[in-house]
Amino acid sequence: MTYDYIIVGAGSAGCILADRLSASGEHSVLLLEAGGKDSSPWFRVPVGFAKLYYNPTCNWMYYSEPEPELAGRRIYAPRGKVQGGSGSINAMIYVRGQARDFDDWAAQGNDGWSFAEVLPYFRKLESHPLGDTEFHGANGPIHISPMKGHTHPICDVFIEGCQELGYPRCEDFNGRDFEGAGLYDVNTRNGQRCSSSFAYLHPALSRSNLSIEHHALAQRVLFDEEKRATGVVIRQHGIERSFTARKEVILAAGAVDTPKLLQLSGVADRALLARHDIPLAHELPAVGRNLQDHLCVSYYYRAKVPTLNDELGSLSGKLKLGIQYLLTRKGALSMSVNQAGGFFRGDDSLEHPNLQLYFNPLSYQIPKNGRASLKPEPYSGFLLCFNPCRPTSRGTIEIASKDPADAALIRPNYLSTEKDIDEVIQGSRLIRKLMSAPALKGITVEEVLPGPSVHDEAGMLRYFRENAGSIYHLCGSCAMGDDPATSVVDKRLKVHGIEGLRIVDASIFPNVTSGNTNAAVMMVAEKGADLILADD
């Protein structure tokens, strides 16, 4: 079958592309998704991400290769395997990043991607309660809900403690000022997840010129003799099928599976392809390189006051919250557990914030056995965690074999630079400093983990190495830039040296943004759709 555009991946970016490219009715669009539909009610309930965190039916549940600087551990890397992609299973924190993040994109040979130039696309995709302002949009498909006024009361104590130590309060992390402590916004609507699948794709699927194939695992991109992408081969229910694209093939499979698909298709480093006996279609050595991620660690505290542990830790508490949610679409189940936090400078000499913090009115251990449970600790507790905003460590994504069913080898190469190690110490000291604030000391019984035995830099770094995990912001593995030796796509998101092939997802980030990445991915999709239609 033949379509004008074929999009590989119905994730946060792919759903937006499918909507925007089919909106005029002039173009036929095929959307390919390796997972199933997002029809379970758990995809709607914000706190449902806890049920999806280790669910293989909607989550690829990837793991990194053993990380040398993290005690040889394999780090969990969940990725959405469902319509809506990772935007269907994430914690919904809506943060764009600092303006300088995007200015740095532009400075790397990517004209058109400065913050001033991408801000209109952020505004285009959102409906914000503040309305149509300099920094917000009022009519976009993605509804943004500030959690202010709805969070657990203990979150206000965290902000009070930060202010006691002289840190500013930030009223809007997506506004003019970025630095300080505050309450996060989430992409929800009427107490329900507002993913790009629900907001963009579901309404668009009624169009006759838009088709979607579920359970369609892409095997390879097809090329003609002129190095033009002509279609995609998939495997669906055990059968191989081919689809042809008249205009473009667009890869939106994410930071892990987009470079994997390019490598399977013969677009990669020549030596890598030779090792796996894959014919070279076009040599592009940067495919799968420049991988970046945010790495975080949590500090656990026993509280003198009730927290969400008390409500979610008992059957009666869960029933009460469940009834409240069903009747009102409000309460703890309507929000993320990542309610408060902010952006801080770990060193006063720095010009910009370099650390992101999360304050959760709930404390839970991430299961180490792969079981689908995020169970609250059996006491009143909360946790405070941090991650460096702009790590400089760079890793790789490489195919494990020529079999598309085999997961790629993920090597983030965490903590491979002195800067990243220094920021681990900065973040650890910042948490201890914040917990010394009178407001926070007043509600704290003790630090449970790592506890008083960890008190010097060596101990802090050891705790981080043994306990840190990904915060699931993998990006950069098909970076945008003007040099084919070090990047994969140009500023119009076209793959270097190949006609009719673009990439529109987190893999094109030249550098990771300061904060949660889903908002930036959706912005890339909005801008990418405009670029594609302008070149039509």
Side-chain angles (χ1 to χ4, degrees):
M1 298 180 68
T2 302
Y3 299 84
D4 291 324
Y5 297 106
I6 297 176
I7 304 165
V8 180
S12 290
C15 290
I16 293 174
L17 291 168
D19 174 27
R20 296 305 192 194
L21 297 182
S22 64
S24 68
E26 299 175 12
H27 311 294
S28 58
V29 179
L30 173 64
L31 182 59
L32 300 172
E33 170 52 45
K37 298 180 180 179
D38 54 346
S39 52
S40 166
W42 288 115
F43 294 115
R44 291 279 191 183
V45 180
V47 81
F49 86 92
K51 291 285 187 181
L52 311 172
Y53 189 74
Y54 278 112
N55 188 335
T57 63
C58 62
N59 189 335
W60 288 107
M61 293 177 60
Y62 292 144
Y63 282 84
S64 76
E65 295 302 289
E67 278 291 295
E69 299 300 320
L70 297 184
R73 294 180 297 127
R74 294 167 60 92
I75 305 302
Y76 186 44
R79 300 281 91 188
K81 184 176 66 172
V82 64
Q83 184 176 310
S86 296
S88 287
I89 66 171
N90 68 358
M92 297 157 297
I93 300 299
Y94 188 85
V95 174
R96 296 168 180 167
Q98 300 184 71
R100 66 184 290 262
D101 298 334
F102 304 99
D103 292 341
D104 286 349
W105 289 15
Q108 296 178 59
N110 302 304
D111 296 344
W113 290 90
S114 69
F115 181 70
E117 291 165 307
V118 302
L119 179 57
Y121 291 101
F122 279 118
R123 294 178 66 250
K124 179 180 180 180
L125 69 86
E126 74 172 33
S127 283
H128 196 281
L130 292 177
D132 191 6
T133 66
E134 179 183 0
F135 290 98
H136 292 292
N139 303 303
I142 300 294
H143 285 248
I144 309 303
S145 300
M147 288 192 283
K148 184 177 181 180
H150 305 285
T151 56
H152 193 281
I154 199 174
C155 294
D156 295 326
V157 179
F158 165 74
I159 296 173
E160 180 185 352
C162 292
Q163 291 181 302
E164 286 174 340
L165 297 179
Y167 294 103
R169 174 164 186 152
C170 182
E171 297 293 346
D172 180 5
F173 293 122
N174 298 303
R176 183 177 302 279
D177 299 314
F178 186 78
E179 186 172 5
L183 303 173
Y184 287 114
D185 290 353
V186 287
N187 50 288
T188 62
R189 183 179 188 182
N190 297 327
Q192 296 184 304
R193 178 187 296 272
C194 189
S195 65
S196 65
S197 175
F198 292 136
Y200 287 83
L201 184 60
H202 278 256
L205 284 174
S206 62
R207 299 172 189 154
S208 60
N209 62 320
L210 174 59
S211 303
I212 185 169
E213 295 284 348
H214 293 98
H215 306 291
L217 181 65
Q219 308 289 288
R220 62 190 180 278
V221 178
L222 300 172
F223 303 100
D224 63 18
E225 294 179 354
E226 280 73 46
K227 289 190 179 181
R228 179 177 185 85
T230 60
V232 179
V233 177
I234 67 163
R235 179 168 289 276
Q236 187 181 49
H237 307 304
I239 300 171
E240 274 202 358
R241 303 176 65 191
S242 297
F243 299 95
T244 301
R246 293 188 192 93
K247 297 183 177 180
E248 291 191 18
V249 173
I250 305 156
L251 306 187
V256 174
D257 289 314
T258 283
K260 173 188 169 184
L261 181 58
L262 283 175
Q263 292 166 359
L264 291 170
S265 306
V267 180
D269 177 72
R270 184 188 299 267
L272 172 66
L273 299 177
R275 286 203 303 273
H276 295 286
D277 196 27
I278 295 174
L280 177 70
H282 178 64
E283 184 164 20
L284 207 53
V287 170
R289 298 180 183 173
N290 195 51
L291 178 68
Q292 299 160 62
D293 190 20
H294 287 140
L295 192 63
C296 71
V297 77
S298 296
Y299 280 55
Y300 294 79
Y301 296 90
R302 187 186 300 268
K304 296 178 181 178
V305 296
T307 69
L308 278 181
N309 288 16
D310 301 276
E311 299 175 66
L312 292 173
S314 67
L315 180 59
S316 61
K318 291 177 183 176
L319 286 173
K320 181 180 178 181
L321 290 175
I323 293 171
Q324 179 189 21
Y325 180 76
L326 289 172
L327 294 178
T328 67
R329 291 286 186 266
K330 295 180 180 179
L333 303 191
S334 69
M335 295 180 287
S336 174
V337 295
N338 301 319
Q339 294 181 4
F343 296 86
F344 300 81
R345 283 175 285 169
D347 185 320
D348 291 340
S349 67
L350 296 174
E351 187 178 354
H352 303 281
N354 69 323
L355 299 170
Q356 181 176 8
L357 266 62
Y358 297 94
F359 180 88
N360 290 13
L362 173 76
S363 62
Y364 54 88
Q365 294 282 347
I366 300 295
K368 292 182 171 61
N369 55 9
R371 298 183 65 182
S373 174
L374 294 178
K375 188 176 181 180
E377 295 289 290
Y379 52 79
S380 301
F382 59 92
L383 62 82
L384 185 58
C385 63
F386 77 91
N387 67 263
C389 290
R390 291 277 299 272
T392 52
S393 297
R394 298 292 182 265
T396 60
I397 300 288
E398 289 187 357
I399 50 173
S401 76
K402 63 192 303 182
D403 184 351
D406 289 343
L409 303 176
I410 304 172
R411 296 188 178 98
N413 204 23
Y414 295 120
L415 296 191
S416 57
T417 68
E418 285 302 316
K419 175 181 180 293
D420 292 359
I421 293 173
D422 289 345
E423 290 185 332
V424 166
I425 302 302
Q426 289 178 18
S428 303
R429 291 200 176 282
L430 176 61
I431 284 186
R432 288 282 177 75
K433 180 180 178 180
L434 292 177
M435 290 305 301
S436 72
L440 285 165
K441 285 182 69 175
I443 62 164
T444 304
V445 176
E446 63 177 339
E447 181 181 281
V448 179
L449 287 173
S453 63
V454 172
H455 55 82
D456 59 10
E457 291 187 0
M460 291 174 176
L461 183 57
R462 183 167 54 253
Y463 177 72
F464 192 92
R465 292 188 190 279
E466 295 175 353
N467 293 277
S470 170
I471 207 160
Y472 323 129
H473 296 160
L474 296 168
C475 64
S477 52
C478 291
M480 175 171 55
D482 57 6
D483 184 357
T486 58
S487 63
V488 177
V489 299
D490 64 17
K491 63 187 179 183
R492 300 192 72 80
L493 306 184
K494 295 181 178 181
V495 175
H496 292 304
I498 297 179
E499 294 296 318
L501 183 63
R502 288 194 217 227
I503 300 175
V504 185
D505 60 25
S507 68
I508 67 95
F509 288 18
N511 50 260
V512 67
T513 54
S514 300
N516 312 74
T517 53
N518 195 48
V521 170
M522 293 190 288
M523 174 278 291
V524 167
E526 282 281 15
K527 183 172 172 66
D530 269 8
L531 294 174
I532 292 165
L533 293 172
D535 291 342
D536 180 53

